[in-house]
Amino acid sequence: MDRDNGPVRVPDQRAPRERTAGSELRFEVLGPVRARRGGQVLPSGSPQQRALLAALLLRDGRTATAAELIDALWGDDPPSQALATVRTYASRLRKTLGQDTLVSESGGYAVRIHRDALDLTHAQDLAAEAEKARSGGDRWQARTLINKLLGLWDGQALASVPGPYADNQRTSLEEWRLQLTETRLDLDLEVGCHAEAVSELTALTAAHPLRERLRELLMVALYRSGRQAEALAVYADTRRLLAEELGVDPCPELAQLQRRILQADEDLARPADEPAPASAPVRPAQLPATVPDFTGRASFVRELGDRLATSEGSVMAVSALAGIGGVGKTTLAVHVAHQARPHFPDGQLYVNLQGAGARAAEPETVLGSFLRALGTADSAIPDSLDERAALYRSTLDGRRILILLDNAHDAAQIRPLLPGTAGCAALVTSRVRMVDLAGAHLVDLDVMSPEEALQLFTRIVGAERVDSEREAALDVVAACGFLPLAIRIAASRLASRRTWTVSVLAAKLADERRRLDELQAGDLAVKATFELGYGQLEPAQARAFRLLGLADGPDISLAAAAALLDLETHTAEDLLEALVDTSLVESAAPGRYRYHDLVRLYARACAERDEQVPAEREMALSRLLDFYLATAAGVYALERPGDRLADHREPTQYAGLTFADRHDAQDWLYTEANSLLACVRQSSGRATLRRAVDLLWAAKDLAESGANSKQYETAATAVRDLARAMGDNRAEGRALTTLTNVRLVAGRFDQAKQDAQRAMVLARAADDPLPNCWAPNDLGIIALYQNRHAEGESYLQQAITNFRADGNRPGEASALCNLSRIHLAMGRTSSAVTLAQQGIDIYDGLGHALRGANGRYALGLALTELGHLPDAAERLAEALAIFRDSRQRLWEGMTLFRLAEVDLAAHVPARAAVKAEQALAVLRGIGGEWRRGNVLTVLGKALRDIGQAGRAQVCWHEALVIYEGLGSSEAVEVRTLLAPAAAA
């Protein structure tokens, strides 16, 4: 007989036939035994007949005698008519498969198929490719191949196939499958996916408690996820289990791993290779286009290029002297970065840090963008700066990536953005000399030499025009202060006007310098050049240039620009593209535009000086605010049909965009987040304040998703302070309600309570229905979390009354679902189910998918308490799918936590542990410590029930520290859980 142990090897099948597309036979043994032709499953007969087919498929194309097949199907106890039965099975299979496939030979049978016609041989080929990739150092490719290989399994191999041969082969194949899973998990750790691996390893160690290799991988995954105590507890659990079950100690490898963890081994904490995203390695290519007419700077190009070519992670800072802008820092850095691209095959990152503006980019915001560009999912991006910086460095570890940090404010801004390991490099441009940036190679970039300046001017204008007026050309570049930016703009104006001579341009620049003689020399040349370029714009172009510079956002979309200018989109696009052609505006991406910081300042000065109607500036920004509010309110309404915000928000004069699909609407909101929140902060006038507050309300998904929580909170705080200073009770009440939402998401319940209480007082004073409804609803939720159930019930009854009075059906549904949770906490389970179902009925009637998920969440909790666990799991699973689709990280994590509770109640602790681990990963950086404590408590219970008591104790100890720090009553339960261990 064939070998019964180890991976089954199927060499090349004999006598390959011509393959015909659509009629080709395929066979599967990594699951139910099946035959397919052209994708259609063929009848394969009874279980014994399938056993015969499996035995032939696994014979390596060789002939099996009748005696061997009888032994394979029945072993030592064949039926009296075994030979006749085998012949009958073979005859039936031959009719189905064809005479050329199942052949009779030498008194036996064989299956003649192409090598790639069997899923097992395909799996073995993939395994060989993966091993080759891993040996060659391409761990990511190896991991991808093994994942593809494991995906070929469809349940248990040779499922439901009887007989001793099938039993032996099934055992062998399942062992191979487990070995492959261990290899893939090992690769997960090598490429930095340790956090993702914890949940799967937890389940596998529960299913295979004596398999030490899985325990070893789990210890490493926990250690690299910052959970050292849990990693050590896994060792303690393993040692106890082995002693009890087998009377042996852990293997030397496991004991050595424990010692390394105890010593906080730094090498163990680092993955062997770069972390990779869940789907494919992402190679960002974010460098702006280099200018085709780059000129001069040869020594700097050579110096920086040499350092990048031999980079070992050092930082190169390119800075200008005396804060002079326009000296060509960005152009030089981009040019050098493009030349160095071959040395950084894993990608290039770029960001404009806006260091010269009033609002420099926040490092945590930049890190979020970088992590997304590197393939990190939003749900995996933590909230705090330190955590994002750590994840960023881990993601870069082992990869060769160039980071261009343009227009930095100071060293403090860029330190979190620097790579932490060799292989990567950073180019930094700034107006300040970064002497406090440790290890930096400083390059002081001065203005161009006269020769370089004339060369740049000539390359843009053309040698023929310059050669005939060389002296005038020298006057032009001197008037530009030899600054590359000024020269480029002046030359661009001349190049586009064939009737001008160089002397005409020189004379105009001379005139402008006299008009601006109060300015310092460097700024004088630049502003004179801007003035020249601006002066040659057509009136409509000049107006667009002035007004667009007023917006504070890092860039602006075409639609937003059209609103600000009060123009049709196609007209606005023509104007913007004309400004791009004159180098006064940059094209950040298709349909998005931005200003160089110097040009923006100049545009604003022009707006103050040249707008014939001074109010036009305020009107332009008002239209922009209208656009964002109208569009965001439309997104809000699409997500929340029937909500009364549309009836209670401030009216807008300018229409926004409309979306037919809520996913497109969400994409718009998250794409515009930075510009939208900048518009909120900029809307500080009495005439715009209320609309700014309503824009925050309409964009509350930015806070609830966790992706832009900090920027959202900053904007909401600024608007609240402004409203309070102006004595606007309505605006302050609404701003406080948005802040309450932020605090709830972050788990800062005391702050949320203070904000909501004041919002309710102000709402009554202003007779404002929005916070008058939502503030008591929020206070009811806060009371629930703080175990003040009677008080919470009172607040929610008040919210229901107020929502009904306002005709706000989805608001009423929200309060009903929250009241359901209060009743559940008070032991009134039946009414909890009824209330949750009432809320769901309202939501479903309105087509309110997102908030309908909240209703299903509440109903799932009540059904869990009733013991209706399958129904509870179904409702929660429905909610989870919606939350994931809507990018609601907080609720995705909390629903995973509740599903873990259901699995625990259903006595499926291994599955509960997986769900709890997933919840911890999703809630990283969002939700607050109290929610983390809840998840840790449930995780500990699941771990205890799968025999990992030591690790459970670690989870409970961490939860207890959290609860005691918060003064939460949940600490009592955790102390009880820990009591048996304390008594022992």
Side-chain angles (χ1 to χ4, degrees):
M1 286 300 295
D2 298 324
R3 59 182 183 273
D4 293 332
N5 297 306
V8 180
R9 184 66 204 177
V10 182
D12 291 340
Q13 302 285 336
R14 287 185 276 172
R17 297 174 286 109
E18 283 299 317
R19 288 180 286 183
T20 304
S23 63
E24 184 179 348
L25 277 170
R26 298 278 182 183
F27 295 90
E28 300 167 9
V29 295
L30 300 177
V33 175
R34 299 189 187 101
R36 298 178 186 269
R37 178 177 282 117
Q40 182 178 0
V41 177
L42 302 177
S44 54
S46 66
Q48 276 85 6
Q49 185 170 305
R50 291 197 301 275
L52 176 69
L53 176 59
L56 293 172
L57 288 170
L58 297 176
R59 289 283 296 179
D60 297 356
R62 292 178 287 106
T63 300
T65 67
E68 288 174 326
L69 291 172
I70 291 170
D71 184 57
L73 269 63
W74 293 287
D76 296 333
D77 189 24
S80 59
Q81 300 296 318
L83 180 59
T85 302
V86 166
R87 289 173 177 170
T88 300
Y89 291 159
S91 175
R92 291 172 180 172
L93 286 170
R94 185 183 292 114
K95 290 179 181 178
T96 300
L97 304 177
Q99 293 184 355
D100 292 339
T101 299
L102 198 159
V103 298
S104 299
E105 188 177 81
S106 304
Y109 302 95
V111 169
R112 302 283 189 243
I113 56 174
H114 292 281
R115 173 174 179 74
D116 59 356
L118 181 63
D119 60 353
L120 176 59
T121 49
H122 182 41
Q124 291 166 337
D125 290 343
L126 287 172
E129 289 182 47
E131 180 58 33
K132 183 178 179 180
R134 190 178 190 184
S135 299
D138 193 346
R139 296 179 178 90
W140 173 250
Q141 177 64 9
R143 180 175 179 266
T144 301
L145 289 168
I146 293 180
N147 271 326
K148 184 177 180 181
L149 188 168
L150 290 170
L152 295 176
W153 258 268
D154 183 15
Q156 187 183 53
L158 304 174
S160 302
V161 174
Y165 180 75
D167 289 342
N168 289 334
Q169 293 298 327
R170 185 161 38 245
T171 300
S172 175
L173 288 169
E174 289 306 306
E175 172 61 24
W176 185 44
R177 183 184 190 181
L178 189 55
Q179 290 172 0
L180 290 168
T181 302
E182 287 177 338
T183 300
R184 197 259 301 148
L185 286 163
D186 197 15
L187 287 166
D188 285 350
L189 302 186
E190 289 182 5
V191 300
C193 296
H194 37 267
E196 296 88 338
V198 170
S199 60
E200 185 176 0
L201 281 164
T202 297
L204 285 169
T205 53
H208 306 278
L210 298 177
R211 199 171 181 100
E212 291 179 81
R213 178 57 178 154
L214 289 173
R215 299 275 180 153
E216 181 182 349
L217 292 170
L218 178 57
M219 289 172 66
V220 175
L222 287 167
Y223 180 64
R224 288 182 180 168
S225 299
R227 298 159 70 176
Q228 181 181 11
E230 279 188 74
L232 292 170
V234 170
Y235 179 81
D237 288 335
T238 305
R239 183 174 59 184
R240 173 187 52 77
L241 181 67
L242 291 172
E244 292 175 354
E245 297 290 331
L246 304 176
V248 298
D249 291 327
C251 65
E253 293 81 4
L254 210 59
Q256 173 64 19
L257 178 58
Q258 184 220 21
R259 288 191 290 272
R260 293 181 69 185
I261 293 174
L262 284 169
Q263 296 164 0
D265 190 321
E266 292 185 2
D267 291 334
L268 180 62
R270 284 194 293 268
D273 201 10
E274 79 276 7
S279 55
V282 177
R283 291 178 172 83
Q286 296 184 337
L287 294 177
T290 188
V291 293
D293 49 23
F294 182 85
T295 303
R297 309 297 200 191
S299 62
F300 292 117
V301 171
R302 185 167 52 254
E303 176 184 355
L304 291 170
D306 289 346
R307 290 186 64 85
L308 285 176
T310 59
S311 170
E312 295 183 357
S314 56
V315 179
M316 285 132 284
V318 181
S319 39
L321 288 172
I324 295 177
V327 78
K329 305 180 296 296
T330 299
T331 302
L332 172 61
V334 169
H335 181 76
V336 169
H338 273 281
Q339 287 194 335
R341 284 184 64 184
H343 299 292
F344 300 93
D346 294 320
Q348 306 83 39
L349 295 168
Y350 170 84
V351 64
N352 178 2
L353 294 169
Q354 305 173 56
R359 293 188 179 91
E362 296 175 336
E364 49 265 68
T365 303
V366 176
L367 286 169
S369 298
F370 277 178
L371 286 168
R372 292 184 190 96
L374 291 166
T376 306
D378 278 348
S379 61
I381 298 176
D383 195 45
S384 72
L385 172 60
D386 290 344
E387 288 180 311
R388 287 189 178 190
L391 178 59
Y392 169 68
R393 291 191 295 271
S394 297
T395 306
L396 292 179
D397 186 33
R399 306 176 75 176
R400 293 193 58 80
I401 288 181
L402 176 62
I403 301 98
L404 177 47
L405 305 172
D406 190 20
N407 194 12
H409 180 68
D410 54 22
Q413 184 190 26
I414 67 167
R415 284 193 187 99
L417 309 178
L418 299 178
T421 57
C424 295
L427 274 173
V428 183
T429 75
S430 177
R431 293 193 183 186
V432 298
R433 195 169 192 270
M434 296 192 177
V435 294
D436 54 342
L437 190 62
H441 172 66
L442 301 180
V443 175
D444 295 327
L445 190 62
D446 203 346
V447 297
M448 284 181 151
S449 67
E451 293 77 14
E452 289 178 331
L454 185 61
Q455 185 182 2
L456 173 60
F457 184 77
T458 302
R459 293 189 67 172
I460 299 172
V461 173
E464 182 179 352
R465 298 175 75 180
V466 174
D467 289 346
S468 62
E469 295 183 276
R470 182 177 176 82
E471 291 301 319
L474 287 171
D475 288 342
V476 169
V477 296
C480 292
F482 304 109
L483 287 170
L485 178 64
I487 295 167
R488 183 172 299 280
I489 294 176
S492 296
R493 301 310 303 170
L494 181 60
S496 64
R497 286 163 175 76
R498 303 303 300 176
T499 59
W500 281 19
T501 63
V502 180
S503 299
V504 169
L505 175 61
K508 288 181 176 293
L509 280 177
D511 289 343
E512 301 303 334
R513 290 177 61 195
R514 285 193 294 273
R515 286 174 55 194
L516 302 173
D517 56 5
E518 75 278 4
L519 299 177
Q520 296 179 358
D523 282 344
L524 170 62
V526 175
K527 289 189 177 180
T529 305
F530 293 162
E531 189 75 17
L532 173 66
Y534 171 67
Q536 300 305 316
L537 295 176
E538 296 176 2
Q541 295 171 345
R543 173 180 177 270
F545 173 74
R546 292 191 302 267
L547 296 182
L548 287 172
L550 298 173
D552 269 353
D555 60 6
I556 191 168
S557 68
L558 175 59
L564 184 146
L565 297 172
D566 196 19
L567 296 172
E568 295 292 333
T569 302
H570 63 87
T571 305
E573 184 175 21
D574 290 343
L575 293 175
L576 284 162
E577 290 300 326
L579 293 174
V580 170
D581 292 340
T582 62
S583 301
L584 288 173
V585 169
E586 301 171 14
S587 179
R592 301 197 73 85
Y593 302 88
R594 67 185 175 208
Y595 283 85
H596 183 282
D597 55 285
L598 284 177
V599 180
R600 184 194 297 273
L601 292 174
Y602 176 73
R604 291 182 173 182
C606 290
E608 292 179 4
R609 182 191 67 192
D610 295 345
E611 282 301 326
Q612 296 180 356
V613 180
E616 174 62 10
R617 284 175 288 161
E618 288 73 24
M619 292 167 62
L621 290 176
S622 179
R623 287 192 297 269
L624 180 63
L625 177 59
D626 273 1
F627 167 79
Y628 282 133
L629 175 54
T631 307
V635 175
Y636 184 93
L638 203 57
E639 288 281 4
R640 300 166 177 82
D643 191 276
R644 292 297 306 281
L645 174 64
D647 303 298
H648 297 312
R649 71 172 175 87
E650 287 291 296
T652 53
Q653 300 300 315
Y654 197 93
L657 300 175
T658 57
F659 303 96
D661 180 75
R662 69 185 188 89
H663 296 97
D664 292 340
Q666 285 181 335
D667 289 342
W668 177 88
L669 182 64
Y670 288 104
T671 299
E672 293 291 339
N674 290 328
S675 297
L676 182 152
L677 293 174
C679 182
V680 170
R681 293 192 299 267
Q682 192 174 11
S683 302
S684 57
R686 190 173 294 275
T688 56
L689 174 61
R690 290 190 173 186
R691 279 179 287 156
V693 173
D694 288 349
L695 175 54
L696 274 176
W697 194 298
K700 66 191 306 182
D701 279 350
L702 296 178
E704 291 189 2
S705 70
N708 303 87
S709 297
K710 182 172 182 180
Q711 301 97 300
Y712 186 97
E713 183 173 6
T714 299
T717 302
V719 170
R720 177 206 63 190
D721 293 344
L722 186 61
R724 187 171 295 172
M726 289 184 177
D728 189 331
N729 290 342
R730 172 173 159 168
E732 184 184 353
R734 293 191 181 192
L736 284 166
T737 308
T738 65
L739 277 172
T740 300
N741 190 51
V742 173
R743 320 287 200 211
L744 278 169
V745 170
R748 303 198 298 268
F749 302 131
D750 288 337
Q751 282 183 297
K753 179 182 176 183
Q754 293 173 7
D755 289 339
Q757 286 176 332
R758 178 162 175 78
M760 195 159 65
V761 171
L762 292 170
R764 288 169 179 165
D767 193 21
D768 185 0
L770 278 181
N772 196 43
C773 292
W774 288 103
N777 190 54
D778 290 339
L779 285 166
I781 299 170
I782 297 164
L784 168 68
Y785 291 154
Q786 295 185 331
N787 296 311
R788 295 178 283 106
H789 301 139
E791 183 181 341
E793 182 178 24
S794 176
Y795 277 128
L796 289 168
Q797 291 287 8
Q798 180 181 349
I800 291 170
T801 299
N802 293 352
F803 280 127
R804 286 173 175 168
D806 188 43
N808 191 331
R809 294 283 284 161
E812 178 188 348
S814 173
L816 286 168
C817 292
N818 292 328
L819 185 58
S820 165
R821 297 183 61 187
I822 288 281
H823 280 204
L824 186 63
M826 298 172 77
R828 295 153 64 182
T829 310
S830 296
S831 65
V833 171
T834 301
L835 289 165
Q837 189 61 58
Q838 288 175 359
I840 292 173
D841 291 343
I842 293 173
Y843 283 137
D844 289 352
L846 294 169
H848 206 314
L850 175 57
R851 293 309 165 202
N854 288 103
R856 284 162 174 78
Y857 177 90
L859 181 57
L861 300 190
L863 291 171
T864 302
E865 188 65 24
L866 276 176
H868 299 171
L869 302 182
D871 289 341
E874 187 175 351
R875 298 292 82 73
L876 290 169
E878 291 169 355
L880 179 63
I882 296 170
F883 288 137
R884 280 177 172 163
D885 188 55
S886 302
R887 309 182 197 182
Q888 296 293 310
R889 278 178 55 204
L890 171 65
W891 290 106
E892 177 188 349
M894 290 306 298
T895 307
L896 285 166
F897 161 63
R898 299 302 186 181
L899 282 166
E901 290 186 318
V902 173
D903 288 334
L904 204 58
H907 306 293
V908 192
R911 198 165 63 197
V914 170
K915 293 289 197 308
E917 284 287 359
Q918 291 172 344
L920 283 178
V922 172
L923 292 173
R924 184 171 55 189
I926 190 173
E929 287 296 283
W930 178 75
R931 291 185 176 98
R932 176 176 172 78
N934 292 344
V935 179
L936 285 167
T937 302
V938 167
L939 176 59
K941 293 177 181 178
L943 293 171
R944 174 199 60 195
D945 291 350
I946 61 175
Q948 298 184 22
R951 193 174 157 205
Q953 296 288 321
V954 173
C955 291
W956 291 333
H957 276 293
E958 186 177 348
L960 183 60
V961 170
I962 291 172
Y963 291 145
E964 289 181 340
L966 296 173
S968 299
S969 61
E970 289 83 0
V972 175
E973 180 194 4
V974 178
R975 291 192 193 99
T976 302
L977 291 168
L978 288 167

